[in-house]
Amino acid sequence: MNDRLTSIITKTGDDGTTGLGDGSRISKSDIRIQAIGDVDELNSQLGLLVSNPSLPPDLAGLLQYAQHRLFDLGAELSVPGYASLTESHVSILEQAVQEHNTDLPPLREFILPGGCAQAAQAHVCRSVCRRAERSVVALNVAEPVSDAARHYLNRLSDCLFVVARVLNQRAEQSDIFWQAAAKKTVP
């Protein structure tokens, strides 16, 4: 990486453009930059969750792994045509979901985001992940994005849902089940 990040203020973006990894410049309002920003926000939200010193080590390790892969995804998105993530990265998330879901009670109702503070933050991460996925899917309509990149975000949101439930379980806190409004008939 050399010293390319030593000059933080470059003023090159003052005109509303930003540089991609291939050296080209595009508008900061471009859908590609939206996708990159949403992935970055997800990584930041995960960083907040991982920073909690009482986060169980096995889950902290899984989430830090995801953070590294999200950085890979950001690199992939910043260089059109470049692919970094593979289906093996997706498989790691699938295995984690299966492993952690086995000890959870089956769900028969939707649950609200919440429970203990860590689980609530995991749900925030999950919803930001879904937004990042929507941005990447929208980008894929305009310009190809790797299947693995799209699959990774989809599995990560599933993983974060399970992580939230595991955190509640380990905190001996129940999931909060949705209570639908009473149905009224319209005359």
Side-chain angles (χ1 to χ4, degrees):
M1 185 170 280
N2 300 329
D3 292 332
R4 69 181 186 160
L5 295 179
T6 56
S7 179
I8 302 303
I9 299 174
T10 64
K11 299 183 183 180
T12 57
D14 288 352
D15 65 353
T17 65
T18 191
L20 294 179
D22 65 359
S24 64
R25 296 195 69 77
I26 62 174
S27 171
K28 290 181 180 184
S29 66
D30 191 277
I31 192 168
R32 180 173 295 278
I33 300 307
Q34 180 68 46
I36 292 169
D38 288 343
V39 169
D40 185 39
E41 181 183 351
L42 170 58
N43 210 337
S44 296
Q45 290 287 354
L46 280 171
L48 181 60
L49 179 55
V50 171
S51 73
N52 189 313
S54 64
L55 188 70
D58 62 327
L59 298 178
L62 172 63
L63 297 175
Q64 282 187 325
Y65 171 82
Q67 283 191 282
H68 286 282
R69 300 300 66 84
L70 289 172
F71 224 79
D72 292 336
L73 176 55
E76 184 171 322
L77 294 173
S78 72
V79 180
Y82 172 69
S84 179
L85 295 178
T86 66
E87 289 299 326
S88 66
H89 296 115
V90 176
S91 294
I92 288 169
L93 291 180
E94 290 173 352
Q95 291 167 2
V97 167
Q98 289 174 353
E99 174 187 328
H100 290 291
N101 199 41
T102 57
D103 294 329
L104 294 172
L107 284 177
R108 292 182 177 83
E109 300 289 336
F110 289 108
I111 62 171
L112 300 181
C116 70
Q118 291 177 350
Q121 179 61 31
H123 280 294
V124 169
C125 293
R126 175 191 53 76
S127 63
V128 172
C129 187
R130 286 290 188 203
R131 180 165 23 95
E133 180 186 10
R134 289 189 302 272
S135 292
V136 169
V137 167
L139 173 60
N140 188 59
V141 171
E143 301 176 49
V145 176
S146 75
D147 289 345
R150 290 180 287 111
H151 298 168
Y152 190 82
L153 288 171
N154 194 341
R155 291 317 173 282
L156 181 56
S157 64
D158 295 338
C159 185
L160 291 166
F161 178 80
V162 170
V163 165
R165 293 194 68 215
V166 168
L167 287 167
N168 274 335
Q169 183 184 57
R170 290 184 187 179
E172 298 180 1
Q173 191 145 4
S174 297
D175 289 318
I176 305 166
F177 294 99
W178 172 48
Q179 297 173 5
K183 293 182 181 178
K184 294 184 179 182
T185 56
V186 178

